[in-house]
Amino acid sequence: MRFLHTADWHIGKKLQGYDLIEDQKYVLAQILEIAKEEKVDAIVIAGDLYDRSVPAVDAIEVFNELMVEWNLHEKFPIFAISGNHDSNIRLSAGTPWFSHSNYFLQTRFEESFQPIEFKNSQIFLLPYFEPIAARIYFEDETIKTIQQAIEKVVDRMQEAFDPNKKHILISHFCVMGSTKSDSETKIEVGGLDAVPGELLEPFDYVGLGHLHNKSALHQKNARYSGSPLKFSLSEINQQKGVWIVDLEEELSLTFRELTPLFEIEEITATFKELLDPTFYQKINRENYVQIYLEDRTIIPNMMNQLRKIYPRILGVERSNGREVQVKRNSKKVVTKDPQKLVQGFFKEMTNEELTEKQNQWLTETLQELTETE
Amino acid sequence: MRFLHTADWHIGKKLQGYDLIEDQKYVLAQILEIAKEEKVDAIVIAGDLYDRSVPAVDAIEVFNELMVEWNLHEKFPIFAISGNHDSNIRLSAGTPWFSHSNYFLQTRFEESFQPIEFKNSQIFLLPYFEPIAARIYFEDETIKTIQQAIEKVVDRMQEAFDPNKKHILISHFCVMGSTKSDSETKIEVGGLDAVPGELLEPFDYVGLGHLHNKSALHQKNARYSGSPLKFSLSEINQQKGVWIVDLEEELSLTFRELTPLFEIEEITATFKELLDPTFYQKINRENYVQIYLEDRTIIPNMMNQLRKIYPRILGVERSNGREVQVKRNSKKVVTKDPQKLVQGFFKEMTNEELTEKQNQWLTETLQELTETE
């Protein structure tokens, strides 16, 4: 079996207020072309089809039209799951009618143990789920974390393994030790939401969604495809694309790049330079630009003047002569311990430290959150 | 062809704050039983499947499970359209995959001119639409009203008529002269949103949704099925059910009644009677009850005492010894001229009359609304 692996489309997402729907249509159209060129047997979408549990109608239209084209017109089999950004129930509407044309959109945890037999492979579609779903399904109160759940899930899946077939898992979670970007909007709490890579070893290939960087994970048999578009400034240096996964014999992987409608770009310059045609004619002003201003003086009506030349400004910051790199380190906040985050926020808002009692409440609450997650 | 005609399910609707989802599942389950008993060839649902354009997930689950059971398990062909309460785009997700099992859910005005050929009939599925959709489709700026649109629509449909077949139209609008209930949430503006019955004459049967009373329309070849449940106190005396439509030869219609989980009931009594077991043991206290209190004195903690005995109180009013019938006339407000409605509302809020200037603005605004509707 040879297939294309993509994930994290987040249709309907905005980038600093800019609607990305045209950008998304642009790259998703390339995926179909790649699928044709590479003559794949199927297309895999590993969750987060939409950006929100209740997508806007234009997002629904885009996704619907794509699936009609890919599956009904171009006859590509589709294997898809819901991610943490999707509403599994909203997404499940109509899915029982899809499979007759080899379009499998799995949103139910309890149905993920039955593999789909396709070509030389058994495909397990495991949508994003919360530990509570596994606790109920396995009737096991000891399951508190995704890690504990995945252990049980993989055991159960292996019971259905046909030794003469390849075994593929499509899923949507965080594998321990992966590198994260800004745009994934999930704070890691003590590593309890992450799955050790060893648990995935029984599979010939694990096609993952959730992290937006295709290089987030280094494991022989598992990959994040990453998102097809850059969704934050922190992803500026990531090459976006899709995996072509060949399992005819030994696993072979090829990364096919996608070209965005508009790039994300950082510009460091003085205000005078930014307004100078000899400067801006050398760059693509249509791109999403993050501007680092080298000026130190006050500039009246700055944003209006800049927007006339750069229609897609993500932000303007003063570089103050320091290295821009310094600025970019601020993104590290998302990987901070939640306790420290709350303490920092409290300090910022009230200019006081948390009392001992408050700190104790915070610890207990975070503990509870971790346990019930 | 012999089919069952229902409409206006409004899944997810609440009645005075009471969740009706169990009541809806209860009556909708009866519809399947009737379809089996009557050995119909298909089931028709003439719009307003959901109560809201963004239904709650439990509403989506109920509708999805029903369609899986009716269409995929019981193999009933389904002909359905979106109504004014549905979001046509949200509802359209997945519909292109449905038709292979004879499940047709039409949400697009522009696709309604292509009849579905089924048994001895041509079925036209015309979803709820706004005049603007017809204006664009026909490229005719003179189309301002539903009446003008339907004239064009019916002409266009007739071009596709096969004279050897029966012709069925399924749609969702108000036919002129129909009787309305409280629960349809659309104020008639000068009759411009209503369609003259004569326009529907080319069809052998017109299965309508929108009005909740099966007796709202008196026309030989057209019927509202009405809602399967009472959705307001004003519908208290309406018998709810579905039509069995037989078009094998001449049109023959049978109304099959549905039994609600809980009835809507009006009770006129004194507070003392209402609390007296010999009184309330004679009635079904589980019903939705509208209470007309005959007392004239102040009753402390009244609602709490009543709710202990009557768990589903819709409202409590003082009958003041007058006939309850007087009370019920208040529903007539919905058929009032919008100009008078606004004037009355202004008076009630400010205790002043509209000035001449204000009246003029109101007239102009209502005029514009009517034109752009």
Side-chain angles (χ1 to χ4, degrees), chain A residues 55 64 71 90 92 94 97 100-101, chain B residues 55 64 71 90 94 97 100-101:
Chain A
N64 208 28
N71 179 251
R90 288 184 193 282
S92 75
W97 284 266
H100 79 99
S101 60
Chain B
N64 208 28
N71 179 250
R90 288 184 193 282
W97 284 266
H100 77 99
S101 60

